[in-house]
Amino acid sequence: MKTSTQNPVLMAMKFCLKTLGMLAMALTFTVSAQAQNWPSKPIRMVIAFPPGGPTDIVSRVIAQQLSQQLGQSVIVDNKPGAGGNIVAELVAKAPADGYTVFYNTSAIVIGPALYGKVNYDTLNDFAPVALTASVPLVLVVNPQLPARSVKDFIELARSKPGQLNYSSSGTGTITHLASAMLSSQMGLQTQHVPYKGSAPGLVDLAAGQTQFMIDTMNTVLPYVRDGRLRALGVASLERSELLPDVPTLAETIPGFEAAAWQGVVVPSQTPSDIIARLNQELNKALQHPDVRQKLSLQGADILGGTPAQYSAYIRSEMPRWAKAVKDSGAKAE
């Protein structure tokens, strides 16, 4: 009788590898079938801002159009607080099945620099889907301030070191960092006054409690149109159709650009087929006439693009805003 010369350990390893291979094939089939059937239930679109704000308005316009295209409800879930870290951590740990999506803003790159330690990794815990829109920021001043251009404003601020105060929607927000970045680049000594949101900051600016603010187009427009505030410059590289007579900041400060950008990311292990489908539907929604009209009224520049493009954009923005946080000395509240 011949005895087996095969190593029993080796035999066991081969059996395990064969079993793992079969499981991998089954998993591949399951993921593929899952992607083909997606979506088969409502999708939750989580945002880090309260209802009625500028980001909420844009997200709901997009969510409504996606619902019509997908045949499933896309439900906006507002979870404000902690500079967006609550939502980011929630999505990072959510099932990677395409039913939890994060309608994110630039806070996703500002948060790690501002808080130092967060319970998510922007580059590794999320899979970018698409950049959706960008809302230009606008430099506005109290009408009593004797500055009618960006040049006038810079000269005035230099002549009054430490005497000009600026409102923001909170420490470490893009409205804070944009003003800090402007002051830093121009060598201005200005004082930061943080508020809990843009609305009270703009109210105090209009009342003369502060002297200037850089905030989103859709937030400042009502104040500019009724004369409560004066717009000096738009922080985009091209002039806005909503304020065609207002020059860009870059016309005076070459290369200066700051915008409140928005996009969609999902948990990092979400199947690529689902990401591709969601990207396709987002780009389609952004081109819909009703969506374009509604977003243009908000002053939003409609973007779109591929997951790879959004990934590259996020990576390019992280060091830029990390430097802005460091230069401003901002610390999480």
Side-chain angles (χ1 to χ4, degrees), residues 24 45 55 64 107 155 181 192 199 204 207 242 256 269 273 282:
M45 179 181 283
T55 304
Q64 182 179 15
E155 291 176 351
M181 190 162 58
H192 175 220
D204 269 11
L242 297 180
F256 189 94
Q269 299 303 311
D273 288 354
L282 273 170

Side-chain angles (χ1 to χ4, degrees), residues 143-162:
Q144 299 304 314
L145 200 71
R148 295 189 171 276
S149 69
V150 176
K151 182 181 178 182
D152 288 348
F153 171 78
I154 293 171
E155 291 176 351
L156 178 66
R158 284 175 175 165
S159 70
K160 297 179 177 292

Side-chain angles (χ1 to χ4, degrees), residues 206-218:
Q209 299 300 314
T210 57
Q211 286 71 53
F212 74 99
M213 185 174 186
I214 296 181
D215 208 341
T216 56
M217 174 77 71
N218 46 6

Side-chain angles (χ1 to χ4, degrees), residues 53-91:
T55 304
D56 176 72
I57 292 172
V58 174
S59 70
R60 289 180 185 276
V61 170
I62 294 173
Q64 182 179 15
Q65 183 58 35
L66 284 176
S67 297
Q68 296 177 9
Q69 293 174 191
L70 295 170
Q72 289 287 349
S73 297
V74 178
I75 303 167
V76 175
D77 186 4
N78 303 86
K79 292 187 177 297
N85 292 331
I86 293 173
V87 172
E89 183 179 354
L90 182 153
V91 175

Side-chain angles (χ1 to χ4, degrees), residues 42-321:
I43 298 167
R44 180 171 62 150
M45 179 181 283
V46 196
I47 75 166
F49 298 90
T55 304
D56 176 72
I57 292 172
V58 174
S59 70
R60 289 180 185 276
V61 170
I62 294 173
Q64 182 179 15
Q65 183 58 35
L66 284 176
S67 297
Q68 296 177 9
Q69 293 174 191
L70 295 170
Q72 289 287 349
S73 297
V74 178
I75 303 167
V76 175
D77 186 4
N78 303 86
K79 292 187 177 297
N85 292 331
I86 293 173
V87 172
E89 183 179 354
L90 182 153
V91 175
K93 296 178 179 179
D97 55 9
Y99 292 101
T100 300
V101 302
F102 183 9
Y103 193 84
N104 69 280
T105 65
S106 49
I108 201 173
V109 300
I110 294 173
L114 182 64
Y115 286 83
K117 183 179 180 181
V118 293
N119 295 321
Y120 62 91
D121 185 322
T122 299
L123 298 180
N124 295 311
D125 287 342
F126 305 109
V129 178
L131 193 61
T132 55
S134 177
V135 180
L137 300 177
V138 185
L139 169 63
V140 290
V141 298
N142 181 281
Q144 299 304 314
L145 200 71
R148 295 189 171 276
S149 69
V150 176
K151 182 181 178 182
D152 288 348
F153 171 78
I154 293 171
E155 291 176 351
L156 178 66
R158 284 175 175 165
S159 70
K160 297 179 177 292
Q163 296 182 46
L164 297 191
N165 302 324
Y166 64 90
S167 304
S168 83
S169 59
T171 299
T173 63
I174 197 166
T175 63
H176 168 206
L177 297 178
S179 293
M181 190 162 58
L182 172 65
S183 298
S184 176
Q185 288 189 18
M186 293 294 100
L188 312 179
Q189 297 179 36
T190 57
Q191 301 297 320
H192 175 220
V193 183
Y195 289 83
K196 292 184 177 179
S198 291
L202 288 167
V203 168
D204 269 11
L205 175 58
Q209 299 300 314
T210 57
Q211 286 71 53
F212 74 99
M213 185 174 186
I214 296 181
D215 208 341
T216 56
M217 174 77 71
N218 46 6
T219 305
V220 304
L221 268 177
Y223 289 85
V224 173
R225 285 173 171 167
D226 65 15
R228 285 179 289 171
L229 295 177
R230 179 186 302 132
L232 297 185
V234 181
S236 54
L237 295 181
E238 296 182 358
R239 294 194 182 195
S240 170
E241 294 181 359
L242 297 180
L243 293 173
D245 296 328
V246 177
T248 67
L249 288 170
E251 290 177 41
T252 303
I253 311 168
F256 189 94
E257 181 185 18
W261 52 265
Q262 306 167 8
V264 171
V265 298
V266 292
S268 61
Q269 299 303 311
T270 302
S272 58
D273 288 354
I274 291 179
I275 294 174
R277 173 80 189 283
L278 183 54
N279 173 268
Q280 178 184 14
E281 296 295 341
L282 273 170
N283 279 294
K284 180 179 177 181
L286 291 171
Q287 294 305 314
H288 193 280
D290 288 347
V291 172
R292 296 186 71 84
Q293 181 182 21
K294 291 175 181 177
L295 295 192
S296 66
L297 292 175
Q298 296 295 318
D301 296 325
I302 298 168
L303 301 172
T306 67
Q309 288 171 330
Y310 190 26
S311 177
Y313 185 75
I314 290 174
R315 290 177 182 276
S316 70
E317 286 286 277
M318 287 197 74
R320 179 187 182 210
W321 290 109

Side-chain angles (χ1 to χ4, degrees), residues 12-26:
M13 290 178 62
K14 287 182 177 179
F15 175 78
C16 289
L17 289 171
K18 183 178 180 181
T19 303
L20 288 171
M22 294 174 65
L23 288 172
M25 290 177 64

